[in-house]
Amino acid sequence: MYDVDLIDHMDSINQLLARYGVKFGIYKNNMFHEQLFPFDAIPRVITKAEFDVLEKGLIQRVDALNLFLKDIYGEKKIVKDKVVPEEFIFISKGYLPECERICPPKGIYSHISGIDLVQAKDHSWFILEDNLRIPSGASYPMIARELCRRAAPATFRKNSVVDNRNYAMMLRETMDYVNTGGISVILTPGRYNAAYFEHSYLAERTGSVLAVSSDLFVENNCLYYKDYREQKQRVGVVYRRISDEYLDPLTFLEESLIGVPGIMDAYRAGNVAIVNAPGNGVADDKGIYYFVPKMIRYYLNEEPILKNAPTYLPFYEEDRKYVLEHLDTLVIKDVAEAGGYGVVFGSNLTKEQLSEFKKRIETESRRFIAQEVIDFLDLDIMDEGVPVPRKADLRAFVLSGETTRVWASGLTRFSRNPDSFVVNSSQGGGFKDTWVLSR
């Protein structure tokens, strides 16, 4: 859907995004680099009928994943019933034995789930990844839509686009639902974190306190915030934007300088909710992704509404044989990597590299998954004033509180490289607004 007003204002919108600090940061060679996340004014448009199916499928998937996390850190029935091999649980980088037998407030583990999807050229949707640890990116379409409304108000009067400005309210309601009694805090590692803009923006929009670790302390298994007047306030919920391993130096990495000593004791005692729960990484391990359709059948007794991308697990002999025979046509993903790293297209490898990769797959079969290459639907972007097709994905945001809800928007990321399927911001991609139509 092209709108001349929006396209005419694209440069000024990007200038405002830069002025407001809408950037992301990456570390390369131990150096912090901050750069703009380019915005494209041609929106992705999702019809109401299409979104209705996505909404049902995403709610189903996230509900099953939350049940899986509760089970894995509790009775482990899914392992005992041999639906998921224990090798995929206990050697997962995301599994944290320190979280065993901890049930978070209201039994919710993944309060904010970022589910990455792609649309094939036949318009069917495939889920590529589940992000249940610290999914980022909601702030970008939020502020982009706000600027687009200012730049071209007539565009939104003449198109039936669902208002996406309710994300902050949805997030606040989710946090309030699990709050154990106290203020709401967004815990940031600080100014030099890759997503610092988002931390500060969401804190402002939700009315939460933006805090660094030195603002927080634990006393008698309760978490407190100390303000500039040295007065303390009880904290009831922490939306933490710090990786599990750095969250509490008394429980995880003792050298962490960005965590809060003792926060896990307060959490274990049920005195504070942590959004998202520590230990969620076991559920978004790329190896576990293979089993999510089985989880839906196991926990919900339902058939999956949304499909995984066709995936092979070299851990299984039959799959390993197929992968080794078809490696040159598959995409291989290292289960320990994220952000577009560790993704290898077999078609790009030389004969020597293919031979070497086959050896690695045979000796480290748990480390990799293989997927058929989905030919994404191309979306037009503006490139020097001309629309050109580029690969794009969609990160949908699913919030779990009193109910599970899907935000009627999302982060559409695209590759600026015409020959690349990798759309991550860390790999040089840009983003679009995502319009969900109301009728």
Side-chain angles (χ1 to χ4, degrees), residues 128 331 333 338-345 348 376 391-393 413-430:
L128 281 189
V331 56
K333 296 182 178 180
Y341 297 100
V343 177
V344 177
F345 287 82
N348 294 336
F376 300 10
K391 300 302 180 189
D393 76 351
R413 301 173 295 184
F414 61 85
S415 171
R416 289 189 288 169
N417 181 345
D419 301 316
S420 177
F421 282 71
V422 181
V423 301
N424 302 70
S425 56
S426 57
Q427 305 292 304

Side-chain angles (χ1 to χ4, degrees), residues 191-203:
R191 168 70 183 80
Y192 292 105
N193 181 263
Y196 181 74
F197 160 75
E198 178 157 282
H199 307 167
S200 57
Y201 184 72
L202 292 178

Side-chain angles (χ1 to χ4, degrees), residues 323-324 327 331-334 342-346 349-364 367-370:
V323 170
L324 295 174
L327 189 62
V331 56
I332 313 300
K333 296 182 178 180
D334 188 323
V343 177
V344 177
F345 287 82
L349 300 178
T350 65
K351 286 185 178 180
E352 292 76 15
Q353 289 172 326
L354 281 169
S355 177
E356 180 60 31
F357 222 103
K358 286 178 181 179
K359 292 177 184 176
R360 294 177 67 190
I361 288 170
E362 287 180 318
T363 57
E364 302 177 79
R367 182 176 172 180
F368 301 99
I369 64 169

Side-chain angles (χ1 to χ4, degrees), residues 158-175:
K158 67 187 180 186
N159 292 291
S160 304
V161 183
V162 176
D163 193 340
N164 77 345
R165 289 176 289 186
N166 64 336
Y167 183 81
M169 179 189 70
M170 292 172 67
L171 177 57
R172 182 64 198 230
E173 289 173 352
T174 299
M175 294 170 68

Side-chain angles (χ1 to χ4, degrees), residues 15 23 40 49 52 67 84 132 185 200 221 228 257 277 306 321 327-328 331 333 412 428:
Q15 288 168 7
K23 303 175 182 179
D40 183 75
D52 287 346
L67 289 169
V84 179
L132 310 181
V185 164
S200 57
N221 280 349
Y228 68 95
L257 299 177
L306 296 174
K321 182 180 178 183
L327 189 62
D328 60 334
V331 56
K333 296 182 178 180
T412 292

Side-chain angles (χ1 to χ4, degrees), residues 197-242:
F197 160 75
E198 178 157 282
H199 307 167
S200 57
Y201 184 72
L202 292 178
E204 178 185 347
R205 295 297 300 273
T206 61
S208 302
V209 172
L210 182 66
V212 294
S213 60
S214 58
D215 297 325
L216 302 173
F217 66 96
V218 174
E219 187 176 271
N220 297 323
N221 280 349
C222 290
L223 182 66
Y224 293 93
Y225 169 75
K226 182 173 58 178
D227 64 21
Y228 68 95
R229 296 168 299 179
E230 298 294 311
Q231 294 183 348
K232 69 178 186 180
Q233 299 177 71
R234 171 85 181 269
V235 177
V237 58
V238 176
Y239 178 12
R240 52 81 178 226
R241 299 299 296 256
I242 292 175

Side-chain angles (χ1 to χ4, degrees), residues 35-109:
Q35 59 196 69
L36 296 175
F37 194 12
F39 171 72
D40 183 75
I42 304 174
R44 160 173 252 151
V45 179
I46 299 175
T47 66
K48 183 181 186 304
E50 202 169 27
F51 183 74
D52 287 346
V53 175
L54 286 175
E55 184 176 41
K56 290 176 184 175
L58 289 165
I59 289 171
Q60 179 193 60
R61 190 175 182 96
V62 168
D63 283 348
L65 285 163
N66 262 307
L67 289 169
F68 170 73
L69 284 162
K70 187 174 184 178
D71 186 18
I72 285 307
Y73 287 112
E75 296 184 43
K76 301 173 181 57
K77 289 181 179 179
I78 201 167
V79 174
K80 294 172 184 174
D81 289 341
K82 303 188 184 305
V83 178
V84 179
E86 64 180 357
E87 292 92 333
F88 279 82
I89 305 299
F90 304 119
I91 65 170
S92 169
K93 185 180 178 182
Y95 168 73
L96 299 181
E98 297 88 348
C99 295
E100 277 291 327
R101 300 292 171 178
I102 300 178
C103 185
K106 306 291 177 68
I108 301 170
Y109 288 76

